[in-house]
Amino acid sequence: QVQLVESGGGLVQPGGSLRLSCQASGGGFSIADMGWYRQAPGKKRELVATISRSGRTNFADSVKGRFTISRENAENTIHLQMDSLNAEDTGVYYCCAQRIFPPRDYWGQGTQVTVSA
């Protein structure tokens, strides 16, 4: 069974930076894509960024140029470096891991990110 552990959330001022981390335990080489999603109060959950095992990345238009996603395959760990944060980035950030054998998605419990002066 795959379990995701997220960390790094917190309170940051507008224009500041924050780094989120997520480790998927128990998946081994069966873990393919991993990524981050977020949900702001009163809004729908949205994709933030994804990264494949080969390093291919995908970003939401709203975070392009500000966020960077990276991966450590040996530990099935991903990081989300968030720079130039603004109030619209506030929300609960969820880590997701895709298992291919057999196929299913796993989700973390989320970590709160609050951008406020």
Side-chain angles (χ1 to χ4, degrees):
Q1 184 172 334
V2 177
Q3 295 185 18
L4 305 183
V5 178
E6 301 147 317
S7 63
L11 174 65
V12 65
Q13 297 184 53
S17 298
L18 210 58
R19 187 172 190 254
L20 306 182
S21 298
C22 171
Q23 182 176 14
S25 302
F29 292 106
S30 68
I31 299 297
D33 290 359
M34 296 183 68
W36 292 94
Y37 296 74
R38 69 186 181 188
Q39 186 168 20
K43 296 181 180 290
K44 299 190 302 182
R45 186 188 68 184
E46 63 178 359
L47 179 146
V48 177
T50 61
I51 184 168
S52 71
R53 180 169 287 274
S54 65
R56 183 180 68 257
T57 60
N58 182 46
F59 295 91
D61 289 340
S62 60
V63 306
K64 286 181 179 177
R66 299 189 297 118
F67 290 10
T68 301
I69 188 169
S70 59
R71 180 165 181 165
E72 303 169 15
N73 288 336
E75 298 180 356
N76 281 325
T77 298
I78 61 171
H79 306 279
L80 184 68
Q81 178 66 43
M82 304 183 293
D83 298 322
S84 301
L85 287 163
N86 55 59
E88 287 68 45
D89 296 315
T90 294
V92 179
Y93 284 66
Y94 298 92
C95 180
C96 180
Q98 178 190 46
R99 190 184 71 185
I100 57 176
F101 304 119
R104 69 163 287 176
D105 293 338
Y106 292 87
W107 294 87
Q109 294 195 41
T111 183
Q112 177 70 44
V113 172
T114 302
V115 185
S116 178

